[in-house]
Amino acid sequence: MQPTNDAALQTSTAQPTHDLPVIAPGHTLASITDKITSIVLRRDTPLAWAAGLALASTGLFFLVISIAWLLAKGTGVWGINNEVGWGFAIINFVWWIGIGHAGTLISAILLLLNQQWRTSINRAAEAMTLFAVACAGMFPLLHVGRPWLAFWLFPIPNTMGVWPQFRSPLLWDVFAVSTYATVSALFWFTGLIPDLATLRDQAKNIWAKRIFGMLSLGWRGAAMHWERYEIAYLILAGLSTPLVVSVHTVVSFDFAVSIVPGWHATILPPYFVAGAIYSGFAMVLTLMIPLRSAFGFKDFITDRHLNNMAKVMLATGLIVAYGYVMEAFFAWYSAAPYELAMIHNRMFGAAWKSYWALILFNVAIPQLLWFRGVRLNPMWLFMISIVVNIGMWLERYVIVVTSLERDFMPSAWADYYPTKWDVMLYIGTIGFFFFAFFLFIRFLPSIAIFEMKSLVPRRDAGGAKGSAASSTKEGTHHS
Amino acid sequence: MKHETPSIYGVLAEFAGADELVAACKRVKAAGYDKVEAYSPMPVEEAGHALGHKSYLSALIFCGGATGAITGFGMQTWISVFDYPLNVGGRPFFSWPSFIVITFEMTVLFSALTAVIGMIALNGLPQPYHPLFNSAAFERATRNRFFLCIEAADPRFDLAEVKKVLQSTDPLLVEEVPQ
């Protein structure tokens, strides 16, 4: 059997097909393989990719410089002070980890809910999770001041005879975030194994073959292997689902378990989780809209995907809006003077611009998503996703800073101003994030090949590209 | 050098679609062969069922999770109550509700590690060499083709007979795979 005979064979087995709602009509197992692997295996590197990587590298450079300066001088180079001990570090930590949550939601929760449209976006979304968690993890690590002693956070037997304090949400966070990072990495790698084997078999270059061969662990798609694989994958999804909720709940406990006005509220866990998914979907859209244009993935990441992601954003955005309303309501209804002062300070105090900007960005502008025309317009969607990314950052800024600037005693009031090192470190993590993402889309399959193959109807699996198109209705636009 | 009877790993048949593979699995199984394995570019559950594959991985993962839960809760209890009792805001040493979060995280961590390591280990991976990789056609197993292999280790293996059975399943190709 020569590969040249493939086309003839495929045509001969073509059959009428069903609706193809989440993948453009006419794709076969072979065309999916070729389309996705060609991006990784192409010999020439697109100039735009190199330019993007170079830009991201500049950010990475900022990261290295700002960390080096921080380690040399200590956390005094940041804008934090005695009263506002949680500045940019915690704001950025919460922002990044929230972004990561959409990846897990797409790969795990939507898998359990049998939402087929997740298939083409889950790989890139999981990669986004991994890199976002890496960015998030840097901040508390650096914030401890002496990161080389960060292992004290873990219960490691030591000659001092001391142990961590297990009743503190900050320690829960250590366990939650490190578990989340580990499970996200496992989930991502497990998903990659069969695709790495595909790359091994498709690669012509001997080194590519060897490297992908080693990474794929010798996967050969045996039925027994698939059986165990599916069990492991499904259980990982089942584990990740409560995990992702627990992680942001624990992050909110860092605030809610304290007695600081504006933090000590029972609404915080659900409101934080919804906010995390909200910002995460915004980031997925920020990444996917250029990605699908640049790589010609519009057959796989269809308008239906954009539409659905926009709907998830709208829904979670409304939950977040409810959270803002409830914060104000609780403050008023509690009649506690400190809570009232807190909400008044947020709305009309020194940071009033940030507060109303976040209301505009997170509540007002995303209402455009009610319109189908906006949801199906990549340009509008891209701009709204950027607006929500900024809005969610401002939300964390307002929560962290305004409450700490003005708590109980006027003698404990202070103002917070970030320094250039705060800003540089933040830009640095954005650079790192995009640097890693650029490497990912070039060297690994950014769409799950084997999962896409499961979307091709059985009868059509060997069908030729042209023959199925005519019988397929436009299934990509309704959901 | 020519060997008189080159030892072979098995006989491989190639199919165009998942349905053909499942049909072939059933047929080969009905013919009484036991050392049979199907290969596909994506999971084909029915093929595994037809070949009678069963895995105890889920039970293993449950044990992993239980170990994680016991480790997490046990560690915190032992440290907070016995090894390093610390009065935090007047709470009892055995303040178990505050141990639940870490217990949960440890359960998830251990289960996930068991799931992935267990899956890889039970599958016998990493395995850089496998006789099937000698077949040029088998490169398509991760692309768009479906394969069925009757292994020479099967007690009923008889080269001519096996080839005849596989030919009867309407394959695209039947070939011997060297050891």
Side-chain angles (χ1 to χ4, degrees):
Chain A
M1 180 65 48
Q2 296 300 308
T4 42
N5 293 347
D6 277 17
L9 270 163
Q10 284 170 353
T11 323
S12 66
T13 52
Q15 301 271 340
T17 172
H18 308 287
D19 233 15
L20 293 164
V22 285
I23 175 171
H27 271 291
T28 64
L29 302 185
S31 73
I32 289 172
T33 312
D34 293 343
K35 179 81 202 164
I36 301 171
T37 57
S38 69
I39 306 243
V40 179
L41 298 174
R42 63 190 292 179
R43 298 191 75 96
D44 58 320
T45 295
L47 202 63
W49 180 86
L53 190 74
L55 193 66
S57 306
T58 315
L60 195 62
F61 178 69
F62 281 150
L63 180 74
V64 174
I65 300 288
S66 54
I67 290 178
W69 188 248
L70 176 79
L71 294 186
K73 290 287 181 181
T75 47
V77 302
W78 288 350
I80 50 175
N81 51 47
N82 264 355
E83 312 308 331
V84 187
W86 283 11
F88 261 42
I90 304 301
I91 299 166
N92 297 335
F93 163 72
V94 180
W95 189 70
W96 275 121
I97 200 119
I99 285 172
H101 285 1
T104 316
L105 185 106
I106 290 169
S107 55
I109 299 180
L110 296 184
L111 178 77
L112 296 183
L113 296 176
N114 212 5
Q115 294 292 307
Q116 288 192 325
W117 62 274
R118 70 174 266 289
T119 305
S120 63
I121 51 173
N122 80 57
R123 171 72 45 73
E126 276 170 40
M128 178 193 81
T129 295
L130 213 52
F131 306 144
V133 173
C135 289
M138 279 184 229
F139 286 103
L141 205 59
L142 295 170
H143 197 204
V144 298
R146 285 178 284 173
W148 49 92
L149 296 178
F151 66 91
W152 285 3
L153 292 165
F154 291 97
I156 299 167
N158 55 71
T159 50
M160 296 176 290
V162 294
W163 291 103
Q165 210 275 85
F166 291 109
R167 299 176 190 92
S168 163
L170 293 175
L171 190 69
W172 303 348
D173 223 11
V174 172
F175 279 83
V177 173
S178 54
T179 299
Y180 184 52
T182 313
V183 174
S184 302
L186 288 173
F187 204 11
W188 189 61
F189 178 67
T190 304
L192 271 170
I193 294 172
D195 286 2
L196 291 167
T198 302
L199 284 169
R200 170 198 68 204
D201 292 343
Q202 293 289 307
K204 300 280 179 284
N205 179 302
I206 183 73
W207 284 104
K209 243 180 165 39
R210 280 186 189 156
I211 292 168
F212 287 126
M214 275 187 263
L215 290 175
S216 67
L217 310 176
W219 181 265
R220 52 188 189 274
M224 188 67 230
H225 291 187
W226 278 124
E227 175 105 6
R228 296 197 186 98
Y229 183 89
E230 293 246 274
I231 292 173
Y233 203 63
L234 199 63
I235 289 181
L236 278 180
L239 291 167
S240 302
T241 301
L243 178 65
V244 70
V245 175
S246 87
V247 170
H248 227 69
T249 301
V250 172
V251 169
S252 81
F253 283 170
D254 293 342
F255 297 85
V257 173
S258 77
I259 55 165
V260 176
W263 291 4
H264 188 59
T266 48
I267 187 88
L268 249 68
Y271 153 57
F272 264 51
V273 172
I277 292 162
Y278 186 39
S279 67
F281 267 85
M283 188 55 102
V284 174
L285 281 170
T286 308
L287 295 173
M288 292 298 167
I289 292 172
L291 180 74
R292 72 176 206 143
S293 295
F295 286 162
F297 276 160
K298 286 183 184 167
D299 282 1
F300 300 148
I301 303 171
T302 63
D303 289 347
R304 160 121 181 238
H305 292 94
L306 300 187
N307 190 15
N308 283 5
M309 284 192 275
K311 283 180 184 171
V312 175
M313 256 172 73
L314 182 60
T316 47
L318 289 171
I319 300 175
V320 170
Y322 174 80
Y324 299 150
V325 174
M326 281 303 125
E327 270 186 333
F329 173 76
F330 286 168
W332 170 74
Y333 194 69
S334 72
Y338 297 108
E339 288 288 329
L340 284 165
M342 177 278 301
I343 201 75
H344 188 270
N345 180 45
R346 271 190 195 177
M347 288 176 171
F348 311 110
W352 68 273
K353 282 180 199 155
S354 303
Y355 183 81
W356 294 108
L358 92 87
I359 297 291
L360 177 70
F361 287 1
N362 283 353
V363 182
I365 294 177
Q367 299 311 315
L368 288 170
L369 296 172
W370 286 103
F371 299 101
R372 189 182 152 82
V374 175
R375 291 200 304 270
L376 293 178
N377 184 326
M379 203 57 220
W380 273 98
L381 217 47
F382 184 72
M383 287 189 296
I384 292 174
S385 76
I386 299 279
V387 161
V388 172
N389 280 323
I390 299 170
M392 286 307 294
W393 189 90
L394 286 173
E395 181 207 293
R396 276 68 174 253
Y397 176 83
V398 166
I399 291 174
V400 170
V401 172
T402 60
S403 284
L404 287 176
E405 279 184 331
R406 299 284 180 273
D407 58 6
F408 301 100
M409 291 183 300
S411 62
W413 290 0
D415 292 330
Y416 171 78
Y417 301 103
T419 65
K420 64 179 174 194
W421 297 107
D422 282 304
V423 178
M424 207 192 262
L425 183 62
Y426 175 51
I427 294 173
T429 53
I430 295 176
F432 168 81
F433 177 79
F434 281 100
F435 182 80
F437 202 80
F438 270 104
L439 291 183
F440 158 72
I441 55 177
R442 179 70 180 86
F443 296 112
L444 290 171
S446 45
I447 292 181
I449 305 171
F450 84 92
E451 290 189 76
M452 289 302 286
K453 287 174 181 170
S454 305
L455 293 185
V456 177
R458 278 288 174 78
R459 280 278 135 237
D460 195 44
K465 194 170 158 70
S467 62
S470 56
S471 60
T472 308
K473 291 194 300 271
E474 190 199 27
T476 49
H477 278 232
H478 58 80
S479 61
Chain B
M1 287 288 279
K2 239 185 165 184
H3 297 280
E4 240 175 89
T5 47
S7 66
I8 62 166
Y9 172 73
V11 180
L12 188 67
E14 181 181 11
F15 301 92
D19 294 331
E20 288 89 328
L21 176 73
V22 175
C25 284
K26 286 180 181 152
R27 189 156 187 151
V28 166
K29 203 72 189 165
Y33 292 100
D34 253 347
K35 291 258 174 202
V36 185
E37 186 54 295
Y39 302 87
S40 54
M42 75 271 199
V44 179
E45 265 178 48
E46 303 98 303
H49 291 170
L51 297 176
H53 287 334
K54 268 197 198 76
S55 175
Y56 57 92
L57 182 61
S58 357
L60 198 66
I61 298 172
F62 178 81
C63 296
T67 311
I70 294 165
T71 309
F73 196 81
M75 172 189 72
Q76 294 178 80
T77 306
W78 178 71
I79 289 173
S80 308
V81 180
F82 301 104
D83 195 56
Y84 194 60
L86 200 63
N87 185 334
V88 178
R91 289 175 188 81
F93 293 136
F94 184 59
S95 52
W96 66 268
S98 56
F99 300 161
I100 295 300
V101 174
I102 291 179
T103 304
F104 170 77
E105 304 297 342
M106 294 286 275
T107 311
V108 170
L109 182 67
F110 276 54
S111 319
L113 285 170
T114 315
V116 175
I117 297 172
M119 182 271 289
I120 291 172
L122 289 177
N123 283 349
L125 303 175
Q127 187 179 10
Y129 175 77
H130 191 275
L132 280 170
F133 293 143
N134 292 326
S135 157
F138 194 69
E139 283 201 346
R140 296 194 285 272
T142 58
R143 183 181 152 86
N144 61 341
R145 290 298 159 72
F146 300 78
F147 290 84
L148 187 66
C149 184
I150 302 182
E151 291 159 28
D154 193 288
R156 302 186 43 164
F157 189 85
D158 171 82
L159 191 55
E161 187 62 28
V162 162
K163 278 185 169 172
K164 218 172 87 186
V165 170
L166 285 177
Q167 284 293 359
S168 73
T169 57
D170 195 23
L172 302 172
L173 167 87
V174 172
E175 70 169 17
E176 292 172 31
V177 180
Q179 184 68 23

PDB file of all heavy atoms in Angstrom, chain A residues 90-100 248 279 283 388-390 392-394 396 426 430:
ATOM      1  N   ILE A  90      -0.148  40.529  44.856  1.00  0.00           N
ATOM      2  CA  ILE A  90      -1.367  39.726  45.053  1.00  0.00           C
ATOM      3  C   ILE A  90      -2.387  40.012  43.953  1.00  0.00           C
ATOM      4  O   ILE A  90      -3.096  39.113  43.504  1.00  0.00           O
ATOM      5  CB  ILE A  90      -1.953  39.988  46.454  1.00  0.00           C
ATOM      6  CG1 ILE A  90      -0.903  39.709  47.526  1.00  0.00           C
ATOM      7  CG2 ILE A  90      -3.193  39.143  46.684  1.00  0.00           C
ATOM      8  CD1 ILE A  90      -0.343  38.309  47.538  1.00  0.00           C
ATOM      9  N   ILE A  91      -2.452  41.279  43.521  1.00  0.00           N
ATOM     10  CA  ILE A  91      -3.378  41.613  42.427  1.00  0.00           C
ATOM     11  C   ILE A  91      -3.055  40.751  41.206  1.00  0.00           C
ATOM     12  O   ILE A  91      -3.928  40.112  40.617  1.00  0.00           O
ATOM     13  CB  ILE A  91      -3.248  43.104  42.050  1.00  0.00           C
ATOM     14  CG1 ILE A  91      -3.604  43.998  43.238  1.00  0.00           C
ATOM     15  CG2 ILE A  91      -4.115  43.433  40.843  1.00  0.00           C
ATOM     16  CD1 ILE A  91      -3.170  45.446  43.056  1.00  0.00           C
ATOM     17  N   ASN A  92      -1.775  40.726  40.853  1.00  0.00           N
ATOM     18  CA  ASN A  92      -1.365  39.981  39.669  1.00  0.00           C
ATOM     19  C   ASN A  92      -1.502  38.476  39.866  1.00  0.00           C
ATOM     20  O   ASN A  92      -1.841  37.747  38.937  1.00  0.00           O
ATOM     21  CB  ASN A  92       0.077  40.316  39.294  1.00  0.00           C
ATOM     22  CG  ASN A  92       0.219  41.772  38.921  1.00  0.00           C
ATOM     23  OD1 ASN A  92      -0.744  42.403  38.499  1.00  0.00           O
ATOM     24  ND2 ASN A  92       1.402  42.318  39.106  1.00  0.00           N
ATOM     25  N   PHE A  93      -1.224  38.020  41.076  1.00  0.00           N
ATOM     26  CA  PHE A  93      -1.399  36.594  41.376  1.00  0.00           C
ATOM     27  C   PHE A  93      -2.841  36.175  41.116  1.00  0.00           C
ATOM     28  O   PHE A  93      -3.111  35.199  40.414  1.00  0.00           O
ATOM     29  CB  PHE A  93      -1.007  36.308  42.826  1.00  0.00           C
ATOM     30  CG  PHE A  93      -1.521  35.000  43.354  1.00  0.00           C
ATOM     31  CD1 PHE A  93      -0.977  33.803  42.910  1.00  0.00           C
ATOM     32  CD2 PHE A  93      -2.554  34.952  44.289  1.00  0.00           C
ATOM     33  CE1 PHE A  93      -1.454  32.594  43.387  1.00  0.00           C
ATOM     34  CE2 PHE A  93      -3.036  33.749  44.765  1.00  0.00           C
ATOM     35  CZ  PHE A  93      -2.493  32.560  44.310  1.00  0.00           C
ATOM     36  N   VAL A  94      -3.791  36.942  41.676  1.00  0.00           N
ATOM     37  CA  VAL A  94      -5.205  36.578  41.513  1.00  0.00           C
ATOM     38  C   VAL A  94      -5.619  36.706  40.049  1.00  0.00           C
ATOM     39  O   VAL A  94      -6.348  35.872  39.515  1.00  0.00           O
ATOM     40  CB  VAL A  94      -6.101  37.442  42.434  1.00  0.00           C
ATOM     41  CG1 VAL A  94      -7.558  37.056  42.265  1.00  0.00           C
ATOM     42  CG2 VAL A  94      -5.694  37.285  43.880  1.00  0.00           C
ATOM     43  N   TRP A  95      -5.118  37.749  39.389  1.00  0.00           N
ATOM     44  CA  TRP A  95      -5.474  37.965  37.978  1.00  0.00           C
ATOM     45  C   TRP A  95      -5.014  36.791  37.122  1.00  0.00           C
ATOM     46  O   TRP A  95      -5.787  36.226  36.347  1.00  0.00           O
ATOM     47  CB  TRP A  95      -4.810  39.260  37.501  1.00  0.00           C
ATOM     48  CG  TRP A  95      -5.230  39.730  36.152  1.00  0.00           C
ATOM     49  CD1 TRP A  95      -6.447  40.240  35.810  1.00  0.00           C
ATOM     50  CD2 TRP A  95      -4.437  39.760  34.955  1.00  0.00           C
ATOM     51  NE1 TRP A  95      -6.451  40.590  34.477  1.00  0.00           N
ATOM     52  CE2 TRP A  95      -5.235  40.310  33.927  1.00  0.00           C
ATOM     53  CE3 TRP A  95      -3.130  39.386  34.666  1.00  0.00           C
ATOM     54  CZ2 TRP A  95      -4.771  40.485  32.630  1.00  0.00           C
ATOM     55  CZ3 TRP A  95      -2.667  39.565  33.366  1.00  0.00           C
ATOM     56  CH2 TRP A  95      -3.478  40.108  32.369  1.00  0.00           C
ATOM     57  N   TRP A  96      -3.764  36.395  37.304  1.00  0.00           N
ATOM     58  CA  TRP A  96      -3.225  35.307  36.480  1.00  0.00           C
ATOM     59  C   TRP A  96      -3.901  33.985  36.778  1.00  0.00           C
ATOM     60  O   TRP A  96      -4.245  33.217  35.882  1.00  0.00           O
ATOM     61  CB  TRP A  96      -1.713  35.165  36.691  1.00  0.00           C
ATOM     62  CG  TRP A  96      -0.875  36.062  35.848  1.00  0.00           C
ATOM     63  CD1 TRP A  96       0.016  36.991  36.298  1.00  0.00           C
ATOM     64  CD2 TRP A  96      -0.817  36.121  34.414  1.00  0.00           C
ATOM     65  NE1 TRP A  96       0.620  37.623  35.231  1.00  0.00           N
ATOM     66  CE2 TRP A  96       0.117  37.105  34.067  1.00  0.00           C
ATOM     67  CE3 TRP A  96      -1.462  35.430  33.393  1.00  0.00           C
ATOM     68  CZ2 TRP A  96       0.432  37.423  32.751  1.00  0.00           C
ATOM     69  CZ3 TRP A  96      -1.159  35.751  32.078  1.00  0.00           C
ATOM     70  CH2 TRP A  96      -0.223  36.726  31.770  1.00  0.00           C
ATOM     71  N   ILE A  97      -4.084  33.692  38.062  1.00  0.00           N
ATOM     72  CA  ILE A  97      -4.653  32.375  38.377  1.00  0.00           C
ATOM     73  C   ILE A  97      -6.090  32.310  37.883  1.00  0.00           C
ATOM     74  O   ILE A  97      -6.559  31.269  37.429  1.00  0.00           O
ATOM     75  CB  ILE A  97      -4.504  32.036  39.873  1.00  0.00           C
ATOM     76  CG1 ILE A  97      -4.627  30.523  40.076  1.00  0.00           C
ATOM     77  CG2 ILE A  97      -5.537  32.690  40.745  1.00  0.00           C
ATOM     78  CD1 ILE A  97      -3.411  29.929  40.658  1.00  0.00           C
ATOM     79  N   GLY A  98      -6.791  33.440  37.927  1.00  0.00           N
ATOM     80  CA  GLY A  98      -8.154  33.486  37.395  1.00  0.00           C
ATOM     81  C   GLY A  98      -8.168  33.192  35.915  1.00  0.00           C
ATOM     82  O   GLY A  98      -9.007  32.436  35.418  1.00  0.00           O
ATOM     83  N   ILE A  99      -7.217  33.761  35.191  1.00  0.00           N
ATOM     84  CA  ILE A  99      -7.127  33.515  33.752  1.00  0.00           C
ATOM     85  C   ILE A  99      -6.940  32.023  33.480  1.00  0.00           C
ATOM     86  O   ILE A  99      -7.549  31.456  32.583  1.00  0.00           O
ATOM     87  CB  ILE A  99      -5.975  34.349  33.151  1.00  0.00           C
ATOM     88  CG1 ILE A  99      -6.417  35.809  33.051  1.00  0.00           C
ATOM     89  CG2 ILE A  99      -5.542  33.812  31.804  1.00  0.00           C
ATOM     90  CD1 ILE A  99      -5.327  36.764  32.670  1.00  0.00           C
ATOM     91  N   GLY A 100      -6.122  31.413  34.315  1.00  0.00           N
ATOM     92  CA  GLY A 100      -5.883  29.981  34.126  1.00  0.00           C
ATOM     93  C   GLY A 100      -7.144  29.139  34.224  1.00  0.00           C
ATOM     94  O   GLY A 100      -7.252  28.097  33.574  1.00  0.00           O
ATOM     95  N   HIS A 248      -9.937  28.682  43.344  1.00  0.00           N
ATOM     96  CA  HIS A 248     -10.293  30.091  43.478  1.00  0.00           C
ATOM     97  C   HIS A 248     -11.092  30.371  44.739  1.00  0.00           C
ATOM     98  O   HIS A 248     -11.087  31.484  45.245  1.00  0.00           O
ATOM     99  CB  HIS A 248     -10.994  30.619  42.230  1.00  0.00           C
ATOM    100  CG  HIS A 248     -10.407  31.920  41.795  1.00  0.00           C
ATOM    101  ND1 HIS A 248      -9.151  32.026  41.269  1.00  0.00           N
ATOM    102  CD2 HIS A 248     -10.866  33.175  41.887  1.00  0.00           C
ATOM    103  CE1 HIS A 248      -8.876  33.289  41.040  1.00  0.00           C
ATOM    104  NE2 HIS A 248      -9.894  34.014  41.402  1.00  0.00           N
ATOM    105  N   SER A 279     -12.705  36.231  33.394  1.00  0.00           N
ATOM    106  CA  SER A 279     -11.445  36.766  32.859  1.00  0.00           C
ATOM    107  C   SER A 279     -10.734  35.719  32.022  1.00  0.00           C
ATOM    108  O   SER A 279     -10.077  36.040  31.034  1.00  0.00           O
ATOM    109  CB  SER A 279     -10.547  37.243  33.995  1.00  0.00           C
ATOM    110  OG  SER A 279     -10.123  36.159  34.782  1.00  0.00           O
ATOM    111  N   MET A 283      -9.456  35.913  28.150  1.00  0.00           N
ATOM    112  CA  MET A 283      -8.097  35.662  27.685  1.00  0.00           C
ATOM    113  C   MET A 283      -8.084  34.599  26.582  1.00  0.00           C
ATOM    114  O   MET A 283      -7.320  34.711  25.621  1.00  0.00           O
ATOM    115  CB  MET A 283      -7.197  35.255  28.854  1.00  0.00           C
ATOM    116  CG  MET A 283      -5.737  35.153  28.496  1.00  0.00           C
ATOM    117  SD  MET A 283      -5.033  36.644  27.753  1.00  0.00           S
ATOM    118  CE  MET A 283      -4.138  37.359  29.115  1.00  0.00           C
ATOM    119  N   VAL A 388     -12.388  43.332  29.063  1.00  0.00           N
ATOM    120  CA  VAL A 388     -12.678  42.533  30.256  1.00  0.00           C
ATOM    121  C   VAL A 388     -11.383  42.154  30.977  1.00  0.00           C
ATOM    122  O   VAL A 388     -11.324  42.160  32.219  1.00  0.00           O
ATOM    123  CB  VAL A 388     -13.498  41.281  29.888  1.00  0.00           C
ATOM    124  CG1 VAL A 388     -13.640  40.345  31.072  1.00  0.00           C
ATOM    125  CG2 VAL A 388     -14.877  41.691  29.379  1.00  0.00           C
ATOM    126  N   ASN A 389     -10.328  41.849  30.210  1.00  0.00           N
ATOM    127  CA  ASN A 389      -9.034  41.562  30.853  1.00  0.00           C
ATOM    128  C   ASN A 389      -8.592  42.731  31.730  1.00  0.00           C
ATOM    129  O   ASN A 389      -8.141  42.536  32.860  1.00  0.00           O
ATOM    130  CB  ASN A 389      -7.957  41.323  29.793  1.00  0.00           C
ATOM    131  CG  ASN A 389      -8.009  39.923  29.225  1.00  0.00           C
ATOM    132  OD1 ASN A 389      -8.286  38.971  29.954  1.00  0.00           O
ATOM    133  ND2 ASN A 389      -7.762  39.790  27.948  1.00  0.00           N
ATOM    134  N   ILE A 390      -8.733  43.928  31.199  1.00  0.00           N
ATOM    135  CA  ILE A 390      -8.327  45.108  31.967  1.00  0.00           C
ATOM    136  C   ILE A 390      -9.267  45.309  33.152  1.00  0.00           C
ATOM    137  O   ILE A 390      -8.832  45.560  34.278  1.00  0.00           O
ATOM    138  CB  ILE A 390      -8.326  46.364  31.060  1.00  0.00           C
ATOM    139  CG1 ILE A 390      -7.324  46.183  29.917  1.00  0.00           C
ATOM    140  CG2 ILE A 390      -8.004  47.616  31.869  1.00  0.00           C
ATOM    141  CD1 ILE A 390      -7.417  47.257  28.849  1.00  0.00           C
ATOM    142  N   MET A 392     -11.006  43.140  34.798  1.00  0.00           N
ATOM    143  CA  MET A 392     -10.807  42.178  35.875  1.00  0.00           C
ATOM    144  C   MET A 392      -9.528  42.471  36.652  1.00  0.00           C
ATOM    145  O   MET A 392      -9.445  42.190  37.843  1.00  0.00           O
ATOM    146  CB  MET A 392     -10.792  40.746  35.330  1.00  0.00           C
ATOM    147  CG  MET A 392     -12.152  40.218  34.936  1.00  0.00           C
ATOM    148  SD  MET A 392     -13.408  40.351  36.239  1.00  0.00           S
ATOM    149  CE  MET A 392     -12.769  39.221  37.464  1.00  0.00           C
ATOM    150  N   TRP A 393      -8.558  43.046  35.985  1.00  0.00           N
ATOM    151  CA  TRP A 393      -7.349  43.448  36.730  1.00  0.00           C
ATOM    152  C   TRP A 393      -7.709  44.584  37.693  1.00  0.00           C
ATOM    153  O   TRP A 393      -7.313  44.584  38.853  1.00  0.00           O
ATOM    154  CB  TRP A 393      -6.242  43.876  35.756  1.00  0.00           C
ATOM    155  CG  TRP A 393      -4.940  44.075  36.452  1.00  0.00           C
ATOM    156  CD1 TRP A 393      -3.984  43.129  36.663  1.00  0.00           C
ATOM    157  CD2 TRP A 393      -4.466  45.278  37.064  1.00  0.00           C
ATOM    158  NE1 TRP A 393      -2.946  43.654  37.361  1.00  0.00           N
ATOM    159  CE2 TRP A 393      -3.207  44.981  37.637  1.00  0.00           C
ATOM    160  CE3 TRP A 393      -4.967  46.567  37.203  1.00  0.00           C
ATOM    161  CZ2 TRP A 393      -2.448  45.925  38.320  1.00  0.00           C
ATOM    162  CZ3 TRP A 393      -4.218  47.504  37.888  1.00  0.00           C
ATOM    163  CH2 TRP A 393      -2.979  47.185  38.436  1.00  0.00           C
ATOM    164  N   LEU A 394      -8.481  45.555  37.168  1.00  0.00           N
ATOM    165  CA  LEU A 394      -8.891  46.682  38.012  1.00  0.00           C
ATOM    166  C   LEU A 394      -9.716  46.214  39.203  1.00  0.00           C
ATOM    167  O   LEU A 394      -9.588  46.741  40.306  1.00  0.00           O
ATOM    168  CB  LEU A 394      -9.705  47.685  37.184  1.00  0.00           C
ATOM    169  CG  LEU A 394      -8.910  48.540  36.207  1.00  0.00           C
ATOM    170  CD1 LEU A 394      -9.861  49.344  35.336  1.00  0.00           C
ATOM    171  CD2 LEU A 394      -7.960  49.463  36.953  1.00  0.00           C
ATOM    172  N   ARG A 396      -9.447  43.445  40.897  1.00  0.00           N
ATOM    173  CA  ARG A 396      -8.534  42.949  41.946  1.00  0.00           C
ATOM    174  C   ARG A 396      -7.764  44.109  42.565  1.00  0.00           C
ATOM    175  O   ARG A 396      -7.498  44.111  43.769  1.00  0.00           O
ATOM    176  CB  ARG A 396      -7.577  41.910  41.373  1.00  0.00           C
ATOM    177  CG  ARG A 396      -8.115  40.504  41.308  1.00  0.00           C
ATOM    178  CD  ARG A 396      -9.229  40.368  40.299  1.00  0.00           C
ATOM    179  NE  ARG A 396      -9.692  39.009  40.102  1.00  0.00           N
ATOM    180  CZ  ARG A 396      -9.432  38.294  39.002  1.00  0.00           C
ATOM    181  NH1 ARG A 396      -8.747  38.810  38.016  1.00  0.00           N
ATOM    182  NH2 ARG A 396      -9.883  37.064  38.885  1.00  0.00           N
ATOM    183  N   TYR A 426       5.187  43.062  36.361  1.00  0.00           N
ATOM    184  CA  TYR A 426       3.893  42.677  35.780  1.00  0.00           C
ATOM    185  C   TYR A 426       4.015  42.525  34.255  1.00  0.00           C
ATOM    186  O   TYR A 426       3.603  41.514  33.683  1.00  0.00           O
ATOM    187  CB  TYR A 426       2.845  43.727  36.154  1.00  0.00           C
ATOM    188  CG  TYR A 426       1.497  43.513  35.522  1.00  0.00           C
ATOM    189  CD1 TYR A 426       0.865  42.279  35.618  1.00  0.00           C
ATOM    190  CD2 TYR A 426       0.857  44.533  34.843  1.00  0.00           C
ATOM    191  CE1 TYR A 426      -0.359  42.074  35.041  1.00  0.00           C
ATOM    192  CE2 TYR A 426      -0.378  44.339  34.259  1.00  0.00           C
ATOM    193  CZ  TYR A 426      -0.989  43.107  34.355  1.00  0.00           C
ATOM    194  OH  TYR A 426      -2.206  42.909  33.768  1.00  0.00           O
ATOM    195  N   ILE A 430       3.689  39.118  31.653  1.00  0.00           N
ATOM    196  CA  ILE A 430       2.920  39.079  30.396  1.00  0.00           C
ATOM    197  C   ILE A 430       3.846  38.641  29.259  1.00  0.00           C
ATOM    198  O   ILE A 430       3.481  37.822  28.413  1.00  0.00           O
ATOM    199  CB  ILE A 430       2.281  40.458  30.101  1.00  0.00           C
ATOM    200  CG1 ILE A 430       1.240  40.784  31.167  1.00  0.00           C
ATOM    201  CG2 ILE A 430       1.632  40.462  28.720  1.00  0.00           C
ATOM    202  CD1 ILE A 430       0.617  42.162  31.029  1.00  0.00           C
TER     203      ILE A 430
END
